[in-house]
């Protein structure tokens, strides 16, 4: 060939490695058998093995009564596996949340498509849309403005940490009375974290941080998630569980008078108020030690707060539009379903539109409305949504998958057979027993699923006992809202847990006395105030 410029690689070049070989001159240190065992059997690895080991024990040793309950037994084993990993955090929580996608099909509980469908629900749509709105609030520092205003109102001098905590919790509870408790938690959490951003973090500062600062941060987050749950008990629109109860009452007893908004409020508000006081007291005792106000004063002084509020300046067009969209979302949430006498706008669409529909629709407006800051810029773009907490979506999906699995596997039916003893229970023990059962089940299933599964059974038991069905229905529905122990108990818990300020042990330490107090108050108020409020519910 005449191509003299073309060179052909020699045989030595062809034999040379494609990647350079790095020679390590350091001698290789061979581990002893003991060192290798210590590497393998670390506490974390033992916790990882604990999940499948407990599952195997349940599947091989537990007898739920007959061959037809094999799937229910497998579901129980999977539950034990998942909660072992959740409690020990041996595997990252979002990864544990995805285990139903392969465990349910492998154990014959559900088909792969059915499990995958559980990870996209109307509530998940609600959370996604709400979080996009929350990101917009955070992007334009609206949460900081709200946080400064709330802190100024309750920040007396000298600083009183319990009073400031009361202001945050009371605001959240009031908001939750008129909108979905999940949405209230999503709306108020950026406000709460805006207050906490003023406090130093022990991991990001070189100064010595007073222990009371970290405790107060945990109290604020716990206060928001639990206040949202407690406030939602007050009204029919505060949570979907109350609406489910009202719908079942109308469905099972069409000849009886429907439960009105005012009737429920006269019973639900005093109950919620009692539980709220206990919540505030528990948080103050556990997380507001003596000297907390003095430790927080340097960061939450009124003069500093006013100066920062002045630095934010007047609200611009973008902030006003984001607040308008958020306000419109709240109004649409509140008016979708009101009462039987006053139908909401959802009646126009024959009930096909849900809270998630509205949430995503209003979030979409943020990508359409101009910001008036830069030419062609909208209020939100996808780059601003990169902080969407997809781990929350996975946690919620796991909760819905578990709820569906408990129902379809027959585990719910097995558990419900254990409630037959209520027919022989004394009158005074009925309300606390039903409440405790619902409060226990709701920790492993969604509160809506617990209500849907439990209330029909309670109605049948009430008929057999010859007592008013609401004596069992109301404690069952309200007890299902006492999901205070685990992050997966309710989406509100997930919202708080993913802030990083609280751990599972904080939720258990605070949620357990709250659950006990709620059961006690419900046991006292149901046969007294409840009997008076619901006395006109005839036709049963």
């Amino acid at each position: 060939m005449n191509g003299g410029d073309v060179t052909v690689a020699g045989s030595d070049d062809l034999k040379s490695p494609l990647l350079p070989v790095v020679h390590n001159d350091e001698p290789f240190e061979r581990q002893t058998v003991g060192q290798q065992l210590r590497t393998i059997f670390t506490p974390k690895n033992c916790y990882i093995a604990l999940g499948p080991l407990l599952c195997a024990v349940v599947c091989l040793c537990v007898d739920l009564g007959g061959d037809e309950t094999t799937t229910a037994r497998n579901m129980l084993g999977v539950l034990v596996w998942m909660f072992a990993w959740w409690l020990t955090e041996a595997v990252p929580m979002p990864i544990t949340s995805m285990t139903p996608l392969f465990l349910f099909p492998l154990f014959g509980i559900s088909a792969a498509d059915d499990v995958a469908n559980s990870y996209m629900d109307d509530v998940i749509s609600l959370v996604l849309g709400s979080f996009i709105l929350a990101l917009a609030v955070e992007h334009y520092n609206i949460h900081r403005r709200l946080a400064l205003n709330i802190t100024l109102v309750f920040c007396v001098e000298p600083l009183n940490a319990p009073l400031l905590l009361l202001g945050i919790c009371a605001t959240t509870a009031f908001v939750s009375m008129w909108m979905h408790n999940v949405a209230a938690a999503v709306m108020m959490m950026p406000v709460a974290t805006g207050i906490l951003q003023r406090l130093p973090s022990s991991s990001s500062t070189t100064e010595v941080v007073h222990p009371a600062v970290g405790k107060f941060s945990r109290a604020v987050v716990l206060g928001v998630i639990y206040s949202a749950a407690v406030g939602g008990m007050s009204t029919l629109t505060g949570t979907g569980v109350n609406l489910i109860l009202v719908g079942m009452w109308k469905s099972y007893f069409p000849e009886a008078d429907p439960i009105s908004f005012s009737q429920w409020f006269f019973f639900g508000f005093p109950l919620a108020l009692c539980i709220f006081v206990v919540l505030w007291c528990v948080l103050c005792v556990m997380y507001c030690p003596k000297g907390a106000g003095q430790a927080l004063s340097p960061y939450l002084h009124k003069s500093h707060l006013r100066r920062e509020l002045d630095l934010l300046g007047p609200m611009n067009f973008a902030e006003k539009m984001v607040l308008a969209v958020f306000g419109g979302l709240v109004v649409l949430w509140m008016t979708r379903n009101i009462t039987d006498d006053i139908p909401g706008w959802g009646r126009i669409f024959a009930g096909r539109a849900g809270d998630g529909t509205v949430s995503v629709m209003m979030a979409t407006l943020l990508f359409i409305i101009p910001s008036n800051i830069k030419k062609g810029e909208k209020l939100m773009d996808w780059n601003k949504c990169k902080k969407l907490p997809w781990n929350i979506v996975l946690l919620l999906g796991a909760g819905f998958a578990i709820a569906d699995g408990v129902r379809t596997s027959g585990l719910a039916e097995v558990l419900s057979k254990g409630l037959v003893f209520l027919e022989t229970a004394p009158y005074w023990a009925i309300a606390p027993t039903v409440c405790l059962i619902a409060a226990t089940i709701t920790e492993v299933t969604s509160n809506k699923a617990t209500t849907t599964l439990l209330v029909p059974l309670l109605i049948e038991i009430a008929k057999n006992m010859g007592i008013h069905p609401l004596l069992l229905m109301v404690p069952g529905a309200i007890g299902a809202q006492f999901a205070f122990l685990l992050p997966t108990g309710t989406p509100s818990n997930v919202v708080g847990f993913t802030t990083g300020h609280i751990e599972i042990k904080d939720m258990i330490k605070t949620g357990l006395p709250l659950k006990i107090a709620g059961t006690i108050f419900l046991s006292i108020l149901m046969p007294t105030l409840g009997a008076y409020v619901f006395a006109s519910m005839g036709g049963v």
Side-chain angles (χ1 to χ4, degrees):
M1 295 179 63
N2 296 328
D5 295 335
V6 179
T7 59
V8 180
S11 58
D12 292 339
D13 294 331
L14 294 175
K15 294 178 181 179
S16 61
L18 294 176
L19 295 177
V21 179
V22 178
H23 296 283
N24 189 359
D25 296 332
E26 295 182 4
F28 176 75
E29 183 178 350
R30 185 179 297 276
Q31 289 184 330
T32 65
V33 175
Q35 289 174 329
Q36 291 177 354
L37 290 176
R38 282 194 294 270
T39 303
I40 295 173
F41 294 101
T42 61
K44 187 172 184 178
N45 287 341
C46 291
Y47 289 143
I48 292 175
L50 180 64
L53 180 62
L54 291 176
C55 177
V57 171
V58 171
C59 292
L60 295 176
C61 303
V62 174
D63 183 11
L64 297 180
D67 297 334
E68 67 276 3
T69 59
T70 301
T71 307
R73 183 186 60 200
N74 292 347
M75 181 65 208
L76 182 62
V78 170
L79 278 178
V80 172
W81 181 339
M82 293 183 64
F83 284 111
W85 278 6
W86 266 330
L87 291 174
T88 61
E89 299 186 34
V91 177
M93 188 167 287
I95 302 302
T96 303
S97 301
M98 291 194 293
T99 54
L101 291 169
F102 67 88
L103 288 179
F104 283 17
L106 294 180
F107 280 81
I109 298 170
S110 300
D113 287 342
D114 295 333
V115 183
N117 289 337
S118 300
Y119 283 76
M120 197 62 198
D121 184 86
D122 183 65
V123 174
I124 294 179
S125 301
L126 181 149
V127 171
L128 281 174
S130 299
F131 266 109
I132 291 176
L133 281 160
L135 287 174
V137 168
E138 183 178 354
H139 176 75
Y140 291 104
N141 278 325
I142 300 174
H143 69 302
R144 189 178 176 190
R145 189 185 296 274
L146 291 174
L148 288 170
N149 279 291
I150 291 175
T151 311
L152 274 171
V153 172
F154 293 96
C155 197
V156 297
E157 296 180 3
L159 181 63
N160 189 321
L163 181 61
L164 177 58
L165 182 62
L166 176 63
I168 297 171
C169 294
T171 303
T172 305
F174 179 78
V175 170
S176 183
M177 289 173 60
W178 313 109
M179 59 191 295
H180 198 283
N181 52 12
V182 179
V186 171
M187 176 180 175
M188 289 301 299
M189 194 57 70
V191 177
T193 53
I195 296 174
L196 300 183
Q197 285 174 359
R198 299 190 48 78
L199 305 179
S201 173
S202 57
S203 60
S204 62
T205 182
T206 56
E207 64 176 302
V208 178
V209 180
H210 196 283
V213 174
K215 286 187 175 182
F216 183 77
S217 298
R218 293 198 292 273
V220 168
V221 175
L222 290 170
V224 169
I225 60 176
Y226 290 147
S227 296
V230 173
M233 301 174 192
S234 304
T235 62
L236 291 181
T237 56
T239 174
V241 171
N242 295 345
L243 294 174
I244 291 174
L245 174 67
V246 173
M248 285 189 174
W249 171 259
K250 183 179 179 181
S251 175
Y252 279 86
F253 306 102
E255 70 283 359
D257 297 330
I259 301 175
S260 66
F261 188 96
S262 58
Q263 272 183 316
W264 184 268
F265 181 80
F266 287 139
F267 174 76
F269 180 74
L271 174 64
L273 183 61
C274 293
I275 300 175
F276 178 82
V277 172
V278 173
L279 168 63
W280 179 60
C281 293
V282 169
L283 291 176
C284 289
V285 171
M286 292 186 175
Y287 298 102
C288 292
K290 187 177 180 180
Q294 185 177 358
L296 298 171
S297 292
Y299 314 103
L300 298 174
H301 197 272
K302 269 198 169 184
S303 60
H304 298 160
L305 297 173
R306 289 196 185 95
R307 190 182 305 116
E308 288 199 21
L309 193 58
D310 292 337
L311 289 175
L312 290 177
M315 294 185 66
N316 57 28
F317 175 81
E319 293 179 66
K320 293 177 181 178
M321 291 308 301
V322 170
L323 277 182
V325 172
F326 217 132
L329 175 61
V330 172
V331 172
L332 290 174
W333 272 336
M334 291 172 55
T335 57
R336 183 174 67 88
N337 289 314
I338 304 177
T339 64
D340 292 328
D341 299 328
I342 308 175
W345 59 264
R347 181 73 62 86
I348 301 175
F349 301 95
R352 289 187 291 269
D355 290 334
T357 308
V358 180
S359 182
V360 174
M361 180 184 71
M362 299 303 286
T364 303
L365 291 178
L366 299 176
F367 297 83
I368 299 174
I369 301 174
S371 66
N372 277 10
I373 297 177
K374 294 181 182 178
K375 185 177 180 180
E377 184 184 57
K378 308 301 181 183
L379 291 175
M380 287 290 286
D381 56 52
W382 189 245
N383 287 329
K384 298 172 186 174
C385 296
K386 289 182 178 179
K387 292 194 297 182
L388 273 174
W390 296 108
N391 52 346
I392 292 183
V393 176
L394 294 175
L395 275 169
L396 291 177
F400 293 132
I402 289 173
D404 292 339
V406 168
R407 185 181 68 255
T408 59
S409 66
L411 182 59
E413 183 178 351
V414 172
L415 296 176
S416 66
K417 291 179 181 178
L419 299 180
V420 179
F421 73 93
L422 287 174
E423 296 182 5
T424 59
Y427 180 84
W428 58 267
I430 292 175
T433 304
V434 170
C435 183
L436 283 174
I437 292 172
T440 302
I441 297 175
T442 193
E443 297 293 349
V444 297
T445 64
S446 68
N447 49 18
K448 291 182 180 179
T450 301
T451 306
T452 304
L453 294 171
L454 192 59
V455 169
L457 177 66
L458 295 176
I459 292 174
E460 296 301 321
I461 294 176
K463 289 180 178 178
N464 295 334
M465 295 178 66
I467 63 175
H468 200 289
L470 285 177
L471 186 63
L472 297 184
M473 294 174 66
V474 173
I478 294 182
Q481 300 175 57
F482 292 166
F484 301 140
L485 301 182
L486 297 174
T488 53
T490 176
S492 302
N493 294 357
V494 180
V495 172
F497 189 79
T498 51
T499 62
H501 288 285
I502 60 174
E503 300 176 357
I504 292 180
K505 62 182 180 181
D506 295 314
M507 298 187 65
I508 295 176
K509 187 166 62 173
T510 308
L512 188 58
L514 198 61
K515 189 186 288 274
I516 295 173
T519 303
I520 294 174
F521 285 126
L522 184 59
S523 303
I524 296 172
L525 292 177
M526 188 60 218
T528 53
L529 178 63
Y532 173 77
V533 171
F534 301 116
S536 62
M537 311 298 292
V540 181

